[in-house]
Amino acid sequence: DCVLREKEYADVVTRTEGYSGDDITNVCRDASMNGMRHRISGLRPDEIRKLSQKKVAPPVTYEDFQNALKRVKSSVQIDEVRKHESWLAEFGST
């Protein structure tokens, strides 16, 4: 589950401009893990095993995405995007 408001979704979209599909997958994965990281921080393995899935995997928040975006950077270089766009404009795609 994810609990972002419309303007927060829009901000995440804007901030991931130029990210590849894999980059965005990594952002989402990292954001989804943030709640779990906070929840299990300081717990022993036996305590973690006793937690329900709902407690271990809370909804993803805007703050989770903000933290993920600090760690996950775009792997796409802008000059590569321009080359691709130029090629696409000249030759199109099928």
Side-chain angles (χ1 to χ4, degrees), residues 5 8 22-23 37 47 50 57 60 79:
R5 294 186 298 258
E8 294 169 337
D22 283 342
D23 296 337
R37 288 182 190 118
E47 294 172 315
K50 291 177 184 176
V60 179
D79 59 325

Side-chain angles (χ1 to χ4, degrees), residues 70-87:
K70 289 176 186 173
R71 287 189 289 273
V72 180
K73 302 299 179 193
S74 174
S75 65
V76 178
Q77 301 298 319
I78 193 68
D79 59 325
E80 291 298 318
V81 172
R82 289 187 181 124
K83 285 179 192 176
H84 177 73
E85 290 172 340
S86 174
W87 188 91

Side-chain angles (χ1 to χ4, degrees), residues 38-92:
H38 292 300
R39 180 63 184 104
I40 67 172
S41 178
L43 297 179
R44 295 184 319 267
D46 62 309
E47 294 172 315
I48 295 169
R49 284 190 290 275
K50 291 177 184 176
L51 294 173
S52 69
Q53 182 176 357
K54 189 173 186 175
K55 286 189 176 184
V56 174
V60 179
T61 66
Y62 180 58
E63 181 180 355
D64 293 328
F65 275 101
Q66 289 177 311
N67 290 330
L69 286 166
K70 289 176 186 173
R71 287 189 289 273
V72 180
K73 302 299 179 193
S74 174
S75 65
V76 178
Q77 301 298 319
I78 193 68
D79 59 325
E80 291 298 318
V81 172
R82 289 187 181 124
K83 285 179 192 176
H84 177 73
E85 290 172 340
S86 174
W87 188 91
L88 190 60
E90 184 174 345
F91 300 107

